[in-house]
Amino acid sequence: MSLNGRYSIGILLTFALLAASMLYSIPLINLFFKSKILTGEIFFYNRLSLWLVLLLILIYNFFIENRSFFVWEDRKYPPAFYFGAVIILYLICAFGGAFLNGIIMLLTKEKLSDKILQISFLFKNNYFLIIFTCLTAGVIEELLMRAYIQPRIEKIYNSPALGIIISAILFGILHSTYGTVGQVVVPFFIGIVFALFYKKYSSIKILIICHFMFDLISLMIMNFVDLKNLTLLNL
């Protein structure tokens, strides 16, 4: 099999495993623990399953692709660049996401989904779960969606635009499990912003830090503010 063929299988495997983890890991964990409700412990194991997905893709990369996980070598920058890039990316995603979500709310009268409301109660003063959830999202999603999928799509089709767009679409689809239009459109927008940045600057570390910070601030706001005031944040 050609390298592009192995890349194609790796992309499909990555998306399928991520989707399966997000859709089916909680019901399976509930079944294992003989529980009918979502608890903080079960949600922790759900996030832990995403690390298993990363491990499986690393194994596939090592034994089947037999190439470096990073198609694009991660570049190094001065500390001031890291700091500035994280702040600028955060502001673009926060204000851009809020603007898009405001339009969606105006057009569809959409509210926070029941799933988000249910999950939000798990984070109340559970700072370990908040940090672990944000760390998991930052590391796993950026390594798999940007560092793994995006450059491989570009290599297969010889098209930077397709690498950016398809990786962002997949990123949006994965967030559809939260049950709202906003939870697809806003992650798609963030996926475009992050993919453009990764193509130009090839620094996955900056994206991991920014993703972690974005989620951490959002969840900390969720922890302290009435949920009725959070709809524009699209948490």
Side-chain angles (χ1 to χ4, degrees):
M1 183 186 297
S2 68
L3 181 59
N4 280 353
R6 284 174 279 168
Y7 279 168
S8 298
I9 292 174
I11 291 166
L12 292 172
L13 182 64
T14 300
F15 182 74
L17 289 174
L18 284 173
S21 175
M22 292 182 175
L23 286 170
Y24 303 117
S25 64
I26 288 178
L28 287 174
I29 295 166
N30 271 335
L31 185 65
F32 179 81
F33 285 102
K34 298 179 181 179
S35 174
K36 295 182 180 180
I37 61 172
L38 180 62
T39 64
E41 181 182 13
I42 288 172
F43 191 77
F44 167 77
Y45 287 119
N46 164 256
R47 299 294 95 177
L48 202 60
S49 71
L50 294 172
W51 290 91
L52 177 60
V53 172
L54 176 61
L55 176 61
L56 292 173
I57 298 306
L58 287 171
I59 292 171
Y60 177 85
N61 167 250
F62 183 80
F63 288 103
I64 306 300
E65 291 181 352
N66 195 25
R67 294 289 191 280
S68 171
F69 183 87
F70 295 96
V71 174
W72 302 336
E73 184 178 354
D74 214 50
R75 299 177 193 165
K76 295 181 180 179
Y77 295 97
F81 181 86
Y82 283 88
F83 180 79
V86 168
I87 297 300
I88 292 171
L89 282 171
Y90 174 82
L91 292 175
I92 291 172
C93 293
F95 286 101
F99 176 74
L100 285 173
N101 207 40
I103 293 175
I104 292 169
M105 289 170 54
L106 185 65
L107 295 176
T108 66
K109 309 301 180 184
E110 187 172 75
K111 303 296 182 182
L112 286 174
S113 70
D114 291 338
K115 185 170 183 179
I116 293 177
L117 290 171
Q118 183 183 19
I119 290 174
S120 69
F121 289 109
L122 303 178
F123 292 118
K124 284 295 182 182
N125 300 320
N126 191 339
Y127 299 108
F128 169 77
L129 187 61
I130 288 174
I131 292 173
F132 182 73
T133 297
C134 296
L135 181 64
T136 297
V139 173
I140 305 301
E141 293 179 11
E142 294 312 314
L143 285 178
L144 293 181
M145 302 307 299
R146 248 66 65 183
Y148 187 82
I149 287 180
Q150 180 185 342
R152 283 165 173 78
I153 291 174
E154 178 178 326
K155 287 282 187 181
I156 292 169
Y157 297 104
N158 193 27
S159 171
L162 280 180
I164 291 166
I165 293 169
I166 294 176
S167 64
I169 289 173
L170 296 179
F171 188 61
I173 291 173
L174 286 174
H175 288 79
S176 65
T177 56
Y178 292 106
T180 65
V181 175
Q183 283 291 344
V184 176
V185 174
V186 174
F188 170 73
F189 165 73
I190 293 173
I192 290 288
V193 173
F194 278 18
L196 285 169
F197 178 88
Y198 189 55
K199 174 59 183 173
K200 183 172 179 60
Y201 295 103
S202 189
S203 176
I204 202 65
K205 292 188 288 293
I206 290 174
L207 293 179
I208 289 173
I209 294 168
C210 185
H211 196 146
F212 172 81
M213 187 176 81
F214 185 89
D215 286 356
L216 181 64
I217 292 173
S218 297
L219 292 183
M220 291 303 290
I221 292 173
M222 179 184 286
N223 189 55
F224 292 114
V225 179
D226 191 326
L227 288 175
K228 291 183 293 185
N229 300 321
L230 297 178
T231 50
L232 278 181
L233 294 174
N234 199 51
L235 297 171

